[in-house]
Amino acid sequence: MLAPINISMESLNVMTLAPMLIPVVGALLILVIDVIKGGLHKSLYVVLSLLFLAMDFFSLLDASEIFTQNGTVLGMFDVMLIDGLALLAQFIIVIASMLFIPLALTNKRFHEFSYPEFFALFLFMIAGFQFMVATDNLILIFVGLETASLALYTLIAMHNRDKSFEAAVKYFTMGALAAGFFSFGAMVFYALTGSVEINKIALVLAANGYADIGYVLVGVSFMLAAFAFKLSLIPFHTWAPDVYEGSSAPMAGYMSIVPKIAAFVVAMRFFEFLVHSGIIWLDIVLYAFVIITMTVANMWALVQTDVKRMLAYSSISHAGFVMAAILIGTTQANSALFLYWVLFTFTNLGSFTMLWISRQKSLPEHQMSDHSYDKFAGMIKTAPVPAMIMGLFMLSLAGIPPFALFWGKIYLISSAVTSGYTILALIMALNSAIAGYYYLKLIVYMFMKEPVVGANGHIYVANATLALKTIIGIAAVGTIFAFVAINPLLEFITAFVYNSGY
Amino acid sequence: MLDHILSLLIFFPALAAVFGFMIQKESMRAYGVAVSAIEFALALWLWYVFDGNVSGMQFMESLPLVPSFGINYILGVDGISLFIVILAAFFTMIGIASLTDTPNVKYMIITLLFLQMTMVGVFVALDAIVFYIFWELSLVPMLYIIGAWGGPLRIYASVKFFLYTFTGSLVMLVGMLFMAYFYYQATGVWSFAILDWYRLILPESFQLWLFAAFFIGFAIKVPMFPFHTWLPYAHGQAPTIGSVILAAILLKMGTYAFIRFSLPMFPDASAFFMVPIAIIAIIMIVYTAMVAYAQKDVKQVVAYSSISHMGVIILGTFALNVEGISGSIFLMIAHGVVSGALFLLVGVIYDRRHTKMMSEFGGLAQVMPRYATIFGLMLMASVGMPLTINFVGEFLSLLGFYQQSHILTLLAGTAIIVGAIYMLAAYKKMFFGEVTKEENKNLKDVNKREWVALLPLGIITIWLGIYPKPVLEPINNSVKSIVQLMHNKATTELGKERIPDLVKPKVVIIEKTIIEEVH
């Protein structure tokens, strides 16, 4: 007879679950409302989602207070983990989602937003990402990852254009493959160490001195491939540009920010001990991933004729850039990753939203794609304010000071410098210079060419509503006045990262 | 008020530019002139309250920006930057005053005012990151000026300009991060403050690498051979005002940065690289002078002559002694005035004929005598005639370098003769002989608006050529302290040898035998 298990509620530490449960409850509520009374306007669901995300945000604030007082908190049979990385990532996820969801309130009617399920799935997805970052248990990471990914595939497909189905299916197939890699890698580590918790895996591997190095490398290879899919590192990036192109602009922007920070945090947890274990092979492979991703994605971005595809490739390049932080693996580098991503969130959200407000319901005849460069030609003459704002985001993405991303860039390059990665620092600098060209290309089109499309400038704001303008305003203010916030942000992030032992 | 005069100098034009959006098109030019005149008055006031006997930084301001990473908003001005700031304010004013009816003159003036903010910012920033911010930010308005108002190849020219300088400065940024890191290693605190960095004595091997990283950034901006290829395009395609600002101020950022960063921070490396850089400078002087001679477009002649003179400035800077460096700073100002004036003059004729080809002109002296006179004066200054402003700077620069190497100075000196040749040849083609073209017979001479721009330049050219003391003395004081700092910091034999010690009294030893012989 098995003895009955006694669990005290205190040891469960249920509050560690609170931040994830809030969006889940919100999603269920939205579904229930739809069942009771269908056909409600999308604004209701947008506001409901916002409210639940706000609650989520406040519960995160509570959790971070507990973290600063007591340090890392474990809960739910030590599966849930509240530490600095988890909190920082969740802050980014929740804030980016709060900025994203009002983009549904467009002028034109895009039918994906008329489904309440869209918003329910959206909240489920956020919960999935939150689970993924708030644990070091490989199984829960997998569950979180798949919850979020499945929701995301559906959200893309809801966009309901020819290319959206293609994109969703492509993303799904690739994602399924990545999931397979992930579970295989996890299996190998479980076989080696008898645990699925990253910190225990690290302990066991270190204790026996990485005896089965061959198996470790096999496991690492599979894990690396899985993360490379999620982070769209070259050569596992092939889905990214097509998926970005197939999904709506805000969705693409969202995909370039939120899933990646979740994957970065997991990668940080997973590779942290491996990078410091002295496995030279891993260093070389990561180094190659970082450099190839940065450089090759930049080259592809150079030749794009569509702004959205250009931004997609540039996001890949940024991901490679930030992956360098995981390779370097110092506290400064890990803090730089979060700082970079916060700043990137504002800038990228801004630039994709700019694409979103210029979105037409159907393409005019002379326009090849939704966001071709030609469309933006001469924008300064027909729509000066949007042109200047778009130019601002491009300058920030290119890393021109004093705009937001510049600060992330110098802090990240500085972390490479301080840990002796001189060549890497130079390559990062030169890549920024290459990237300068394609961001500049859009500026050149907007400010120096003659208008081709839409002489009255209306097309650039065709989709704009107050909600969208507010989001762009927030992004623009965040981009211009980033320098005010850098110091508190840096101190906050560094304290959190340092106190979590990374 | 005096505590924040430098911030005021930086942000007044920017604020005015923002308000400029609200001004009506018709009154924009008046607004621009007024704002830039106020700015110039502020700059002159700065000169008035500036204590020329003090060698260090004055009117320093400091605000924490990202203190945990050692980035602070620090400003200050010394004899080296003072006159370049005044020059920047002056040329923005002259430039706006001389603006002709370009399309969208409103946006042009707003852009110029933003550009002025970045220019002043570069020259008064005492924190490397703040310096870098203004340095990079200056690319944006300039990109727009060339790209929106330039000639047919404007987009190519502006993008080339942007990418060249952008790439160079990113390498420089890595150098800056290394400097801050070395400072952190030495003291345990992060700092990007330039004056903090001055105190850091680095081993020679570090200096060489860092010098190279900074050098790329500065050399592209100057532009030094072989990084100069963007400049003829930029000048060729830029509107008159763009060329004027580019030649008068923007190029000075590079040479100024050499004096502000490279020399005092890496004295050993500066001494080490002295000869190679001098050779590049001489190539710049000779080669571009020859290229200038081959040009058919008068603006390209001025553009290449501009590169040639920048070579003399570099040569003076890397003389590493007080005469050379003071001379090069003075020549920066002189070159600003003279080449700025020459570009304005080319603009005058371009406005009338919409061509810059020298073959289209000839005998202009008969049609436009006043124009020919002022052009002649500026041309004389440009070739370094005594009693003009350029002569003082060129003479001092060469004198300074003469103490380091006689032969190289001689080579550089001959190039000045080549300079006279191409300039006089160009002048001959344009102004002497018969008026051959029908269109040239009725050209109007210099009008009132153009006089407003050109006359002050002419006066300065002669005034400072005859009496350079008020400008030269504050420069000299600051340069002395920098040279002394370099000497004290130099760790290698070569450094100690090439950088003079100013404290040690110079004793003139007359050999006894000579005196006896006289008796």
Side-chain angles (χ1 to χ4, degrees):
Chain A
M1 278 289 279
L2 285 171
I5 307 169
N6 280 317
I7 309 158
S8 69
M9 281 310 278
E10 273 169 29
S11 74
L12 274 183
N13 235 342
V14 183
M15 51 68 55
T16 53
L17 267 183
M20 300 83 188
L21 285 184
I22 291 170
V24 172
V25 171
L28 292 174
L29 183 74
I30 287 175
L31 290 178
V32 169
I33 290 176
D34 182 48
V35 169
I36 295 170
K37 187 168 184 344
L40 291 168
H41 191 255
K42 64 185 174 185
S43 56
L44 169 74
Y45 300 116
V46 170
V47 172
L48 272 182
S49 310
L50 259 180
L51 284 176
F52 275 96
L53 286 172
M55 278 196 269
D56 197 352
F57 180 78
F58 283 109
S59 75
L60 283 176
L61 279 183
D62 276 350
S64 63
E65 212 157 273
I66 293 169
F67 173 72
T68 42
Q69 280 164 9
N70 307 337
T72 305
V73 185
L74 294 172
M76 302 309 283
F77 307 101
D78 293 354
V79 169
M80 296 303 297
L81 167 75
I82 299 289
D83 67 350
L85 299 192
L87 287 170
L88 286 172
Q90 289 186 66
F91 273 123
I92 297 178
I93 291 168
V94 171
I95 291 171
S97 305
M98 282 166 82
L99 291 172
F100 162 76
I101 197 73
L103 299 184
L105 299 170
T106 51
N107 204 357
K108 299 257 187 295
R109 296 181 58 182
F110 293 98
H111 81 279
E112 70 241 55
F113 298 126
S114 57
Y115 297 123
E117 288 84 356
F118 180 90
F119 301 93
L121 279 170
F122 183 70
L123 289 174
F124 279 131
M125 175 178 69
I126 291 163
F129 285 131
Q130 285 187 290
F131 272 117
M132 197 173 147
V133 296
T135 176
D136 74 342
N137 186 308
L138 290 176
I139 295 177
L140 190 55
I141 290 174
F142 186 75
V143 172
L145 179 69
E146 286 310 295
T147 312
S149 300
L150 284 168
L152 187 54
Y153 306 144
T154 324
L155 292 182
I156 295 167
M158 278 179 149
H159 189 43
N160 198 23
R161 295 228 174 168
D162 293 348
K163 284 196 171 168
S164 310
F165 296 132
E166 186 197 321
V169 171
K170 202 166 203 165
Y171 198 15
F172 174 72
T173 344
M174 294 292 194
L177 194 59
F181 282 162
F182 184 92
S183 45
F184 190 83
M187 183 270 284
V188 170
F189 279 102
Y190 181 68
L192 279 174
T193 62
S195 176
V196 284
E197 279 175 51
I198 295 174
N199 61 344
K200 289 199 180 124
I201 293 174
L203 279 178
V204 175
L205 285 180
N208 64 19
Y210 292 87
D212 303 307
I213 187 73
Y215 292 110
V216 174
L217 292 187
V218 170
V220 169
S221 307
F222 277 97
M223 287 306 229
L224 200 55
F227 286 118
F229 268 119
K230 285 293 156 195
L231 293 170
S232 65
L233 302 183
I234 292 174
F236 298 100
H237 71 287
T238 44
W239 57 272
D242 297 335
V243 173
Y244 284 27
E245 196 185 7
S247 34
S248 62
M251 202 42 128
Y254 191 77
M255 269 195 292
S256 69
I257 298 163
V258 174
K260 281 188 183 161
I261 187 65
F264 272 130
V265 167
V266 179
M268 198 185 277
R269 289 188 199 285
F270 190 78
F271 289 115
E272 172 74 16
F273 75 91
L274 289 167
V275 165
H276 293 295
S277 67
I279 303 175
I280 294 171
W281 174 86
L282 182 71
D283 267 358
I284 295 170
V285 171
L286 273 182
Y287 210 129
F289 261 122
V290 167
I291 289 174
I292 292 172
T293 305
M294 267 195 287
T295 317
V296 178
N298 265 342
M299 301 291 174
W300 269 317
L302 284 180
V303 296
Q304 298 305 317
T305 53
D306 185 90
V307 177
K308 200 157 136 205
R309 278 186 84 87
M310 180 274 277
L311 283 176
Y313 276 109
S314 98
S315 302
I316 297 175
S317 175
H318 281 288
F321 198 83
V322 172
M323 190 67 193
I326 288 172
L327 165 69
I328 297 164
T330 57
T331 302
Q332 195 195 2
N334 290 339
S335 315
L337 185 150
F338 285 106
L339 181 70
Y340 195 94
W341 218 251
V342 170
L343 301 169
F344 184 64
T345 300
F346 277 96
T347 310
N348 225 26
L349 178 96
S351 38
F352 275 102
T353 309
M354 286 305 291
L355 294 186
W356 187 227
I357 64 163
S358 66
R359 176 76 143 77
Q360 301 120 299
K361 191 86 171 130
S362 53
L363 279 184
E365 258 175 45
H366 41 67
Q367 204 175 308
M368 297 302 289
S369 60
D370 267 333
H371 307 287
S372 62
Y373 277 100
D374 282 339
K375 178 179 167 184
F376 292 92
M379 194 170 161
I380 184 68
K381 289 190 181 132
T382 50
V385 175
M388 277 199 242
I389 290 176
M390 189 75 177
L392 169 76
F393 292 135
M394 290 302 119
L395 290 179
S396 174
L397 282 174
I400 304 271
F403 306 121
L405 266 189
F406 164 72
W407 301 99
K409 220 160 231 175
I410 59 164
Y411 201 60
L412 193 51
I413 296 180
S414 168
S415 71
V417 162
T418 49
S419 29
Y421 284 94
T422 312
I423 305 290
L424 182 67
L426 273 177
I427 293 175
M428 285 158 104
L430 291 178
N431 262 300
S432 305
I434 302 174
Y437 181 76
Y438 51 77
Y439 297 125
L440 199 60
K441 194 168 151 193
L442 183 59
I443 293 180
V444 164
Y445 266 90
M446 289 191 302
F447 287 82
M448 296 164 200
K449 300 224 163 170
E450 288 304 310
V452 180
V453 188
N456 59 7
H458 178 68
I459 55 157
Y460 301 117
V461 289
N463 213 359
T465 55
L466 185 63
L468 266 66
K469 285 178 188 163
T470 313
I471 297 297
I472 288 174
I474 292 172
V477 168
T479 307
I480 299 174
F481 294 103
F483 63 89
V484 182
I486 297 297
N487 199 51
L489 204 58
L490 198 56
E491 279 176 353
F492 179 75
I493 289 173
T494 311
F496 269 47
V497 171
Y498 184 75
N499 289 337
S500 327
Y502 285 89
Chain B
M1 187 73 176
L2 274 179
D3 293 341
H4 299 292
I5 183 166
L6 296 179
S7 287
L8 183 70
L9 268 170
I10 296 178
F11 293 110
F12 175 71
L15 196 68
V18 173
F19 289 145
F21 283 108
M22 295 177 236
I23 306 277
Q24 272 226 316
K25 247 181 218 163
E26 290 71 27
S27 34
M28 194 63 198
R29 195 196 305 272
Y31 177 73
V33 172
V35 166
S36 54
I38 295 172
E39 173 81 358
F40 180 54
L42 282 173
L44 285 180
W45 187 40
L46 180 73
W47 187 10
Y48 177 72
V49 290
F50 184 86
D51 186 349
N53 298 316
V54 177
S55 63
M57 289 294 166
Q58 301 181 35
F59 309 112
M60 286 195 44
E61 287 175 42
S62 179
L63 265 179
L65 206 59
V66 190
S68 53
F69 194 40
I71 302 172
N72 298 292
Y73 172 79
I74 309 174
L75 307 178
V77 66
D78 64 354
I80 298 171
S81 43
L82 172 69
F83 295 103
I84 312 183
V85 170
I86 296 173
L87 189 72
F90 180 62
F91 262 99
T92 314
M93 183 179 71
I94 294 276
I96 293 178
S98 72
L99 263 187
T100 45
D101 290 315
T102 40
N104 285 324
V105 74
K106 177 173 168 176
Y107 290 112
M108 172 71 104
I109 287 172
I110 289 173
T111 316
L112 281 170
L113 290 175
F114 271 120
L115 186 61
Q116 186 171 30
M117 167 191 85
T118 65
M119 292 189 301
V120 176
V122 163
F123 295 119
V124 300
L126 286 184
D127 181 281
I129 295 296
V130 176
F131 172 88
Y132 185 80
I133 289 175
F134 287 120
W135 174 278
E136 289 287 80
L137 215 49
S138 72
L139 298 179
V140 180
M142 200 58 208
L143 170 90
Y144 190 45
I145 289 178
I146 300 176
W149 286 281
L153 278 176
R154 61 206 159 89
I155 289 177
Y156 175 76
S158 61
V159 170
K160 188 167 182 175
F161 156 76
F162 190 98
L163 286 181
Y164 259 67
T165 31
F166 187 53
T167 311
S169 37
L170 279 165
V171 178
M172 174 179 88
L173 179 67
V174 176
M176 285 176 173
L177 293 172
F178 261 106
M179 271 308 283
Y181 176 54
F182 289 143
Y183 189 83
Y184 170 74
Q185 276 196 321
T187 63
V189 198
W190 284 95
S191 175
F192 284 90
I194 294 172
L195 296 183
D196 281 348
W197 287 1
Y198 280 2
R199 293 203 292 270
L200 202 61
I201 297 178
L202 294 167
E204 197 200 4
S205 54
F206 286 10
Q207 284 192 28
L208 295 181
W209 282 109
L210 284 171
F211 185 93
F214 279 86
F215 178 81
I216 292 176
F218 303 155
I220 291 177
K221 196 87 169 187
V222 169
M224 284 174 78
F225 179 86
F227 306 112
H228 69 285
T229 53
W230 62 267
L231 186 72
Y233 275 102
H235 272 314
Q237 300 302 319
T240 302
I241 176 84
S243 299
V244 170
I245 300 277
L246 192 63
I249 319 291
L250 287 186
L251 300 189
K252 305 303 178 299
M253 287 183 182
T255 47
Y256 165 81
F258 272 124
I259 296 170
R260 182 64 78 215
F261 285 86
S262 303
L263 298 190
M265 283 174 205
F266 321 118
D268 295 315
S270 303
F272 181 86
F273 284 115
M274 185 185 92
V275 173
I277 289 178
I279 291 171
I280 295 178
I282 289 169
I283 294 175
M284 272 168 81
I285 299 170
V286 179
Y287 167 74
T288 49
M290 286 169 161
V291 177
Y293 186 71
Q295 297 304 310
K296 296 187 173 65
D297 180 336
V298 62
K299 199 170 178 187
Q300 291 294 344
V301 176
V302 180
Y304 278 104
S305 89
S306 188
I307 305 179
S308 185
H309 285 120
M310 295 306 283
V312 182
I313 295 177
I314 295 290
L315 198 70
T317 305
F318 280 88
L320 305 180
N321 51 31
V322 179
E323 294 82 3
I325 300 174
S326 301
S328 79
I329 296 166
F330 193 85
L331 188 56
M332 281 185 215
I333 295 153
H335 175 262
V337 171
V338 172
S339 67
L342 283 172
F343 278 117
L344 277 177
L345 285 163
V346 173
V348 167
I349 195 80
Y350 182 75
D351 276 345
R352 289 171 178 51
R353 283 291 318 277
H354 292 282
T355 175
K356 296 171 291 191
M357 292 296 146
M358 286 186 285
S359 54
E360 288 288 317
F361 303 109
L364 284 185
Q366 298 163 32
V367 194
M368 307 168 73
R370 275 171 288 195
Y371 179 70
T373 315
I374 187 121
F375 202 111
L377 169 72
M378 286 305 166
L379 185 131
M380 287 302 156
S382 172
V383 301
M385 262 256 294
L387 297 186
T388 62
I389 186 167
N390 259 22
F391 173 74
V392 182
E394 265 179 32
F395 177 75
L396 280 174
S397 299
L398 293 177
L399 181 69
F401 206 80
Y402 188 73
Q403 296 168 25
Q404 300 285 10
S405 162
H406 302 339
I407 298 177
L408 291 177
T409 314
L410 204 68
L411 277 173
T414 52
I416 291 175
I417 302 170
V418 187
I421 295 173
Y422 67 75
M423 271 302 190
L424 290 174
Y427 195 73
K428 183 183 142 229
K429 274 183 225 163
M430 283 179 69
F431 289 95
F432 296 146
E434 290 299 308
V435 186
T436 45
K437 301 267 182 215
E438 197 57 40
E439 309 92 301
N440 291 344
K441 286 199 173 135
N442 294 317
L443 285 182
K444 287 199 186 74
D445 210 341
V446 183
N447 64 28
K448 217 185 276 171
R449 196 186 62 235
E450 288 153 356
W451 271 126
V452 169
L454 290 171
L455 202 60
L457 293 171
I459 292 169
I460 291 174
T461 306
I462 295 170
W463 169 48
L464 287 181
I466 296 171
Y467 185 62
K469 197 178 160 223
V471 172
L472 206 49
E473 211 167 61
I475 294 178
N476 236 344
N477 276 330
S478 296
V479 169
K480 270 182 196 156
S481 73
I482 282 201
V483 171
Q484 189 58 44
L485 178 79
M486 284 167 69
H487 179 83
N488 295 343
K489 277 177 72 178
T491 53
T492 56
E493 289 285 310
L494 193 69
K496 289 279 181 208
E497 185 198 324
R498 285 186 171 165
I499 304 164
D501 187 358
L502 301 178
V503 177
K504 202 168 59 186
K506 279 187 186 165
V507 185
V508 185
I509 301 164
I510 302 169
E511 290 199 13
K512 209 181 166 192
T513 49
I514 304 175
I515 301 172
E516 278 167 2
E517 274 169 25
V518 173
H519 283 285

